[in-house]
Amino acid sequence: MKQRPTTVDTTVKQALDQALQRFASNQHGKNASYIPYLASVPSHLFGISIMFCDGTHAEVGDTEYAFAIESISKVFTLAHVLDEVGPEALRSKIGCDPTGEPFNSVIALELHKGRPLNPFVNAGAMATVSLLEADTAQARWDQIQTTYNLFAGRGLTVNDEVYQSEAKTNQHNRGIAWLLQSYGYMHADPMEVCAVYTRQCSVAITCHDLVIMGATLANGGVNPITGKRAVQARNVAPILSEMTLNGLYDTTGDWYYKVGLPGKSGVGGGILAVVPGVCAIAAFGPPLDVAGNSVRGQLAAEYLSRTLNLSLLHEFA
Ligand code: GLN
């Protein structure tokens, strides 16, 4: 049996230092620019964090820089909706299958008669937001914020500059929201839902926040720092299933091949990997590959997974 760490020790610390050293100067990829704010974030920023279920953690680089959570938010909204409606309703109304298309694809929707297939493409994420039981946009937002705060163990806030930048340029997502409604997969007012979705993407987090949020999933839904439950234990496996199959959009297979872990990325440059029952890895580096995933974040996760035997397939990796 290959050894895996279960707490921060010198091997873990060395692996983090090595990952930073190896990939900090990697120049591949480009910041997202379709959301103007994201193009202005310094590309050289790079941070990596790891947190074990016992709450011990190690961090290197720019782990206190606040960046936009973007698509990683989809994981935590899903968590709350699963608690409200249950996994069967979620799977029948949205699904857990890859679209094989980019995260904002309209073609994918048309091909499946409006069924989004999974909650991590933009269509599925907005459909997920629409499933929240709420009468007003504020009530919808309050539920989302409360859940995110439980995962992070502190009060997170929206970066208003990101929100404004994204709200002014999100015509494509608004189109997707209307299309969902025309097919019967939008369960609340489409423009209200799109605005709440845009707001959730604009929440500011640090790599340190993200690793706590991931460690909460690794720890069966209980935040290892605060000891508070953020999601029901029975809903953790459905969330990790979605991350395994759809976390990095149309290159999720490549990611799993190399890292062997449920993951989730965001166009803000964040990336999260969860080792169930063991730990979470979070990384932040703004330049993205063509699918929209942090280049340095993926390299760091792959390196740590290999070095520390974290892959779920580690016996053979
Ligand atoms: N807010 C972004 C969008 O809707 C999130 C996309 C992402 O991170 N992949 O386009």
Side-chain angles (χ1 to χ4, degrees), residues 289-305:
D289 64 15
V290 284
N293 303 312
S294 169
V295 172
R296 289 195 296 264
Q298 289 177 87
L299 289 169
E302 181 181 359
Y303 180 80
L304 293 176
S305 174

Side-chain angles (χ1 to χ4, degrees), residues 32 34-35 38 68-74 103-104 120-123 125-126 162 166 169-170 172-173 176 194 197-202 247 249 264-270 288 291-293:
Y34 73 98
I35 299 167
L38 299 180
I69 188 170
E70 297 297 346
S71 267
I72 309 172
S73 66
K74 294 166 180 169
F103 60 79
N104 57 359
F120 292 164
V121 289
N122 291 2
M126 286 190 275
V162 175
E166 198 157 335
T169 53
N170 69 351
H172 191 92
N173 283 342
I176 290 174
C194 186
Y197 163 75
T198 305
R199 185 167 291 275
Q200 78 173 40
C201 290
S202 313
Y249 319 112
K264 187 72 201 84
S265 63
V267 291
L288 311 176
N293 303 312

Side-chain angles (χ1 to χ4, degrees), residues 78-86 131-134 143 232 235:
L78 170 66
H80 186 66
V81 172
L82 281 169
D83 275 2
E84 276 191 4
V85 307
L131 285 173
L132 285 164
E133 287 155 24
Q143 291 185 46
Q232 291 170 27
N235 288 329

Side-chain angles (χ1 to χ4, degrees), residues 5-295:
T6 54
T7 191
V8 169
D9 58 16
T10 48
T11 323
V12 170
K13 285 188 190 151
Q14 275 169 11
L16 250 69
D17 287 339
Q18 276 291 319
L20 190 79
Q21 244 182 50
R22 279 173 185 243
F23 308 121
S25 58
N26 183 302
Q27 304 274 338
H28 293 290
K30 274 175 78 171
N31 284 35
S33 57
Y34 73 98
I35 299 167
Y37 176 93
L38 299 180
S40 72
V41 176
S43 301
H44 69 270
L45 291 168
F46 187 32
I48 315 168
S49 305
I50 190 166
M51 180 175 280
F52 288 84
C53 290
D54 66 358
T56 57
H57 63 281
E59 313 196 301
V60 287
D62 302 307
T63 54
E64 290 303 331
Y65 184 91
F67 60 91
I69 188 170
E70 297 297 346
S71 267
I72 309 172
S73 66
K74 294 166 180 169
V75 172
F76 306 103
T77 300
L78 170 66
H80 186 66
V81 172
L82 281 169
D83 275 2
E84 276 191 4
V85 307
E88 285 323 312
L90 194 288
R91 203 152 61 88
S92 72
K93 292 193 163 117
I94 297 176
C96 184
D97 284 306
T99 66
E101 299 293 334
F103 60 79
N104 57 359
S105 174
V106 170
I107 289 174
L109 264 189
E110 291 286 2
L111 280 176
H112 301 96
K113 299 201 166 42
R115 190 174 145 85
L117 295 196
N118 74 69
F120 292 164
V121 289
N122 291 2
M126 286 190 275
T128 307
V129 170
S130 83
L131 285 173
L132 285 164
E133 287 155 24
D135 293 333
T136 62
Q138 186 62 42
R140 204 172 291 284
W141 173 249
D142 287 346
Q143 291 185 46
I144 290 177
Q145 197 171 32
T146 303
T147 303
Y148 290 15
N149 291 350
L150 281 168
F151 271 99
R154 74 172 182 102
L156 298 174
T157 53
V158 169
N159 179 333
D160 203 49
E161 239 188 297
V162 175
Y163 178 71
Q164 297 301 338
S165 178
E166 198 157 335
K168 276 191 203 127
T169 53
N170 69 351
Q171 289 79 10
H172 191 92
N173 283 342
R174 282 185 247 167
I176 290 174
W178 284 119
L179 207 50
L180 280 168
Q181 195 192 35
S182 78
Y183 278 117
Y185 285 95
M186 174 59 77
H187 308 283
D189 177 80
M191 290 304 94
E192 178 194 309
V193 165
C194 186
V196 171
Y197 163 75
T198 305
R199 185 167 291 275
Q200 78 173 40
C201 290
S202 313
V203 166
I205 51 162
T206 64
C207 207
H208 180 69
D209 292 322
L210 186 56
V211 87
I212 300 176
M213 296 172 96
T216 300
L217 288 173
N219 196 35
V222 175
N223 183 313
I225 304 298
T226 64
K228 288 190 185 159
R229 179 164 290 285
V231 60
Q232 291 170 27
R234 70 184 186 111
N235 288 329
V236 174
I239 297 167
L240 297 180
S241 305
E242 297 281 3
M243 291 172 73
T244 301
L245 284 152
N246 306 305
L248 279 81
Y249 319 112
D250 40 328
T251 56
T252 305
D254 286 327
W255 157 269
Y256 202 82
Y257 205 96
K258 291 185 275 191
V259 184
L261 293 171
K264 187 72 201 84
S265 63
V267 291
I271 201 158
L272 176 65
V274 176
V275 191
V278 182
C279 68
I281 298 166
F284 165 59
L288 311 176
D289 64 15
V290 284
N293 303 312
S294 169
V295 172

